[in-house]
Every structure is written in C-alpha cells, then in structure tokens.
Amino acid sequence: QVQLVDSGGGSVQTGGSLRLSCSASGYTYTSDCMGWFRQAPGKEREGVAIISHVGGTAYADSVKGRFTVSQDNAKTTIYLQMNSLKPEDTAMYYCAAGPTLRCYSGSWRSGAGFGYWGQGTQVTVSS
C-alpha cells in the first residue's frame, strides 16, 4: 500500500515562494507517476504538475514558468517549488501517485487514474 505525506504549505504574500514536499512509502510500479493537484473552495480539482519515474514533467499552463516539480534521487520524495505566487494559487494542494501511463496521458490534469493521494497541505496567497 502506497502512502503519501505532503507538507510545506503556508501563507505568503503575492510574489512570495513556497516549497511543497511529498514523501512516498510502500512504493510499487503502480505509483511511478507522481504529481501535484489543487482544489480551491467552490472549484473543481485541477492538475498542477506531474513527474514520471524517469524525470519527465508536465505543467498546467497557469503555472508554467513559476512552478517547478522535482524528485529526489531515491524517487521517493517529490517537491513543488512555487515562485511568484498569486492569490489565484490559493488552494489545498494534494500529492498523488499513479501508474506510469498517467504521466503520458493528455487527461492527467483531471486526476483520474491516480490511485494514491496525500492528505493535502493548504497554500494561501494574500494580495
């Protein structure tokens, strides 16, 4: 059973930075694709960034150039470096893991097929 623990959220002002972390245990081949999703109050969940086991990445257009997803050498922890934060980035951020093919799917942003989820960490950006 894969378990994900995400952390690093907080409150910052517009233009600030935060770094989220997600530690995975119980790794299996079904968790080769990992990523970050977010959900703001009253809005649907949306994919932010994903990273494959071999380091391939994809981003939502709204965060390109501001957010960077990375992983440690052991491939058990992923990070989301968030720079130039905006109020519209305010949301609960969730780490997720799924099979390799999710990282190559055009529908990854929906979150469908990601079987493992962290508990979430709140990011609040004030203007």
Side-chain angles (χ1 to χ4, degrees):
Q1 181 75 12
V2 176
Q3 292 186 322
L4 304 177
V5 178
D6 37 35
S7 61
S11 297
V12 297
Q13 293 187 326
T14 298
S17 298
L18 285 172
R19 189 193 198 206
L20 307 184
S21 299
C22 173
S23 296
S25 61
Y27 168 82
T28 73
Y29 72 94
T30 59
S31 59
D32 271 352
C33 178
M34 296 184 69
W36 292 97
F37 295 77
R38 67 186 181 187
Q39 187 166 22
K43 295 188 177 181
E44 291 187 356
R45 180 183 63 197
E46 62 175 355
V48 176
I50 53 172
I51 184 165
S52 72
H53 200 60
V54 296
T57 60
Y59 296 90
D61 287 344
S62 59
V63 306
K64 283 180 181 177
R66 301 188 298 122
F67 291 11
T68 302
V69 61
S70 61
Q71 60 190 355
D72 67 347
N73 290 336
K75 310 289 196 298
T76 58
T77 301
I78 66 168
Y79 307 95
L80 186 68
Q81 178 65 44
M82 305 186 294
N83 298 328
S84 302
L85 282 161
K86 305 175 182 180
E88 50 264 43
D89 294 318
T90 295
M92 185 71 79
Y93 283 70
Y94 298 90
C95 172
T100 301
L101 287 178
R102 297 314 303 157
C103 273
Y104 300 96
S105 168
S107 64
W108 68 267
R109 293 200 64 207
S110 72
F114 285 84
Y116 306 102
W117 294 83
Q119 80 282 4
T121 185
Q122 178 68 38
V123 171
T124 302
V125 185
S126 59
S127 57

